[in-house]
Amino acid sequence: MNRVHWTVTACIAVQLLTACEGSGNLPSEHPVSDGIEEKSSLYQEPGLSKYEQPIQLSFVRENNDALEEMLSQLPGETLEDNRWTQLYEDVLGIRIKYDWTAWSSIYSRKLGASLASGDIPDIVRVNASQLRVLSNAGLIQDLTQVYNDYATPLTRKVLSQEGSGPFDTATINGRLMAIPETTSSIEGAMFIWIRTDWLDLLGLKPPQSMDDVLAISKAFTERDPDGNGRRDTYGLALTKYLWDPVMGLTGFMAGYNAYPGIWIKDKSGKLVYGGIQPEVKTALQELQEMYRTGQLDREFGFKDGVKASKQIENEQIGMLYGEQWSSFLVQTSREHNWQAEWKAFPLVSGSGSAPKVPLPFSTNQFLAVRKGYEHPEALVKLFNLHLEKNWGVTGDYETYYNAPQAVWKLSPVTPYPVLKNLEAFRQLEEFRLTGNAAVLKDEAKTIQKRIAAYEAGGKESETGWGWNLTYGASGAFSILDQYEKNNQLLYESFVGAPTETMIEKQNILYNLQINAFLDIIQGRPIGQFDEFAAQWNKLGGEQITAEVNQWYAEKGGAGK
């Protein structure tokens, strides 16, 4: 394909390179429907029509060991020639090409350099900051009309499950500049994962308040729950990143009404950054005491998730905060001790009342079309067919999603219904109540097979242990179901495109916060929190807060 090379200023280049780490409403002439009504009319949709002459569509691609391992199990399939690329060509007349691929260790840097030089593929996956910079530089196309004209009812339904936030982020100066690959905010919900065999051994009850959490942490540290006669266990797992989805502090902080990673509404209705609110100071003081008394690993500030998880495997950890998939992490402790038992519990608060469960806005991947590409609608068509073949009327889940390998990863676009896992749990609950297996759709059916293997016992039972802890009758999703029914979910209030000051200052402010919190936990005076908050405001936070509230006012003060 012909390529357009652009001269980009040094300022833009720097912004794109540093953004590698991690608005207006759409016209509504096509309302969201409940799904495709008739199988016979499915491919009459403009968004699923085939080009008379095949077109080529170029991407760039991140590679990793897991993807290579999967391809080794799929004879005859490669990254560029597989069931998905063949489907897109056969049904849509779109030939997928990769300009380059790179291993995860260098992909972000290579992408940043490519974007900064203006040498981008026909379709490029970017984060929110990169999207704004590319839009400001005039490197990508307005997709507002393309989405309105070509998105199928199923695509509209799926991409609306996160509310308007993903489209708000992708909309710059009233124009939709990319299609969001929506990610599930609700699955960012936190749970307390506790070794229940240790609870039983020490005569402890599941926590009902933060005082109980602190008491359990102290007992797990001091009362030799592994029975080896040495003080080598810790009350709470923690990594140096603090906000990791497992072994992070998000759930612990929520117990003190502290939400350090998200924008929230204050009592006046204005948006404020949770990381500088006084409730965080209270939580940090408790963590400082836990560190002083040995309940946190003295070296946690040097350990990433991989190193910290080794302590779980080696039975040195009895409690952690984490998302629903933490079950598969804690299962490693059973490699040394098959009697190790864990369970997810709901978050608790200092007062004992049900706390709010923070849900950071999680959609951070957007697919943009380079300026000058002739067929921008091809991107929407890929979205349409990917969703249709996995969750539509003509879906073939066991061929295109789980075969049993995660073959959905072979597609260059990977949208999915963000509520699919919670819906699978609800199907499983209905099955458990009624015994009617017909209520189980493809994903729930597969999960039930694994839970059944666990319940049956025997040598295959271990394969279902983690699945049962997540999807079982008293698993993590049963708690998430209650969170939602009890109105405990606290969605982030700012879901717009990054503001200009955010793009410039967000990495500085993030590192400032992490370093201040690490210092305080490890013993610096608690008064350092106030110094951090003042510095955060001075270094750009105050201006960002003004920009965020300007966005909020323009939205009418209405967020999710």
Side-chain angles (χ1 to χ4, degrees):
M1 298 296 292
N2 292 330
R3 309 306 296 267
V4 179
H5 295 272
W6 300 76
T7 301
V8 186
T9 65
C11 177
I12 291 174
V14 170
Q15 289 175 344
L16 285 166
L17 287 164
T18 58
C20 291
E21 301 301 330
S23 115
N25 293 325
L26 287 171
S28 58
E29 58 244 37
H30 295 285
V32 174
S33 101
D34 287 333
I36 308 298
E37 293 182 2
E38 303 220 7
K39 183 174 179 179
S40 61
S41 65
L42 178 64
Y43 293 110
Q44 295 176 15
E45 286 275 353
L48 288 165
S49 61
K50 186 175 183 178
Y51 293 99
E52 292 185 10
Q53 296 296 322
I55 67 168
Q56 185 168 281
L57 193 58
S58 66
F59 290 78
V60 297
R61 180 82 191 227
E62 182 177 358
N63 201 357
N64 54 47
D65 289 332
L67 193 57
E68 289 292 308
E69 172 64 22
M70 181 173 65
L71 283 168
S72 73
Q73 300 170 32
L74 302 170
E77 297 192 62
T78 67
L79 202 55
E80 284 203 336
D81 185 10
N82 55 66
R83 66 194 68 195
W84 275 108
T85 60
Q86 291 166 11
L87 181 73
Y88 292 138
E89 184 167 358
D90 292 344
V91 176
L92 301 175
I94 298 175
R95 292 173 179 164
I96 303 299
K97 173 181 177 291
Y98 292 109
D99 286 349
W100 52 263
T101 62
W103 288 91
S104 297
S105 57
I106 64 170
Y107 175 81
S108 290
R109 292 195 300 276
K110 186 167 182 176
L111 177 62
S114 176
L115 298 180
S117 70
D119 182 17
I120 61 178
D122 300 329
I123 306 293
V124 62
R125 179 181 280 104
V126 293
N127 63 31
S129 295
Q130 292 166 331
L131 176 63
R132 177 172 279 276
V133 173
L134 289 177
S135 177
N136 290 348
L139 296 175
I140 55 177
Q141 297 190 41
D142 176 2
L143 301 179
T144 309
Q145 198 59 45
V146 166
Y147 185 79
N148 283 326
D149 290 344
Y150 287 93
T152 62
L154 177 59
T155 295
R156 293 171 183 282
K157 178 184 177 184
V158 167
L159 296 190
S160 70
Q161 288 184 328
E162 275 289 291
S164 67
F167 284 94
D168 290 343
T169 304
T171 300
I172 300 171
N173 298 325
R175 301 175 299 157
L176 181 67
M177 300 308 297
I179 307 300
E181 271 193 329
T182 50
T183 304
S184 181
S185 294
I186 198 171
E187 291 201 11
M190 288 287 158
F191 311 92
I192 315 175
W193 295 84
I194 304 179
R195 282 231 9 200
T196 52
D197 57 320
W198 285 9
L199 283 180
D200 294 341
L201 178 70
L202 300 179
L204 301 170
K205 300 291 186 184
Q208 301 296 316
S209 69
M210 287 305 297
D211 283 344
D212 294 337
V213 168
L214 299 178
I216 291 170
S217 173
K218 189 172 188 294
F220 282 179
T221 304
E222 298 177 354
R223 294 175 58 188
D224 191 26
D226 61 348
N228 67 359
R230 300 194 299 271
R231 183 164 172 170
D232 58 357
T233 54
Y234 302 99
L236 185 67
L238 189 58
T239 80
K240 65 181 180 180
Y241 296 113
L242 300 187
W243 318 126
D244 271 352
V246 293
M247 300 183 288
L249 288 177
T250 300
F252 182 94
M253 291 268 180
Y256 295 94
N257 300 318
Y259 312 106
I262 65 174
W263 290 85
I264 56 177
K265 283 181 275 192
D266 67 9
K267 293 179 180 178
S268 71
K270 298 289 187 182
L271 298 191
V272 295
Y273 181 58
I276 60 171
Q277 304 310 308
E279 291 82 2
V280 176
K281 186 176 180 179
T282 303
L284 286 173
Q285 196 149 23
E286 293 291 356
L287 289 162
Q288 186 182 81
E289 177 64 13
M290 292 171 71
Y291 181 84
R292 187 188 69 80
T293 55
Q295 298 174 48
L296 303 178
D297 177 10
R298 288 279 177 178
E299 298 182 352
F300 85 87
F302 302 99
K303 291 182 177 178
D304 59 16
V306 174
K307 291 180 179 178
S309 67
K310 289 295 183 183
Q311 294 178 310
I312 296 172
E313 182 181 337
N314 294 330
E315 295 193 274
Q316 295 177 281
I317 297 292
M319 181 166 57
L320 60 89
Y321 285 83
E323 296 177 3
Q324 49 89 7
W325 55 273
S326 301
S327 55
F328 302 103
L329 175 67
V330 301
Q331 189 169 3
T332 60
S333 63
R334 293 171 61 84
E335 294 175 11
H336 293 281
N337 178 5
W338 66 270
Q339 293 181 310
E341 292 292 345
W342 292 78
K343 186 178 178 182
F345 294 94
L347 299 188
V348 295
S349 71
S351 66
S353 60
K356 289 292 185 181
V357 180
L359 300 180
F361 179 62
S362 58
T363 296
N364 57 14
Q365 297 286 320
F366 305 85
L367 287 150
V369 181
R370 71 169 176 84
K371 195 80 166 181
Y373 181 67
E374 293 179 74
H375 298 285
E377 74 284 346
L379 170 60
V380 183
K381 288 186 174 187
L382 294 183
F383 266 64
N384 293 339
L385 189 55
H386 188 273
L387 290 168
E388 174 57 33
K389 293 307 293 183
N390 286 322
W391 295 282
V393 173
T394 63
D396 187 356
Y397 181 89
E398 293 188 354
T399 298
Y400 292 104
Y401 192 81
N402 190 325
Q405 300 88 351
V407 292
W408 58 271
K409 294 180 180 180
L410 297 176
S411 172
V413 301
T414 56
Y416 69 97
V418 296
L419 299 178
K420 70 182 184 68
N421 290 333
L422 182 57
E423 290 170 355
F425 165 77
R426 287 170 175 166
Q427 292 168 23
L428 290 163
E429 275 293 271
E430 187 175 352
F431 166 70
R432 285 189 279 260
L433 288 171
T434 66
N436 179 14
V439 303
L440 300 176
K441 307 303 180 188
D442 290 321
E443 197 150 9
K445 195 181 300 182
T446 300
I447 295 167
Q448 176 54 32
K449 289 177 184 177
R450 289 165 173 159
I451 292 176
Y454 165 75
E455 293 174 338
K459 61 180 182 180
E460 296 298 321
S461 66
E462 196 67 14
T463 63
W465 188 88
W467 293 94
N468 185 62
L469 278 194
T470 295
Y471 288 95
S474 59
F477 273 110
S478 71
I479 299 170
L480 179 56
D481 198 38
Q482 289 304 307
Y483 282 164
E484 186 177 56
K485 290 174 180 175
N486 294 343
N487 195 32
Q488 287 179 250
L489 299 175
L490 178 65
Y491 286 88
E492 183 161 14
S493 293
F494 176 69
V495 295
T499 70
E500 295 294 341
T501 310
M502 275 184 182
I503 293 173
E504 182 184 356
K505 301 288 190 180
Q506 61 186 354
N507 287 340
I508 295 171
L509 295 179
Y510 174 80
N511 290 328
L512 178 71
Q513 178 175 329
I514 285 285
N515 291 334
F517 287 13
L518 284 171
D519 286 348
I520 292 170
I521 292 170
Q522 294 175 97
R524 292 285 180 88
I526 193 65
Q528 188 168 319
F529 177 81
D530 300 315
E531 296 173 16
F532 149 73
Q535 196 173 12
W536 186 90
N537 277 314
K538 183 179 180 180
L539 292 179
E542 187 173 2
Q543 179 60 30
I544 291 173
T545 302
E547 294 169 353
V548 164
N549 277 284
Q550 181 181 348
W551 168 87
Y552 194 59
E554 290 171 355
K555 291 287 292 179
K560 190 165 185 180

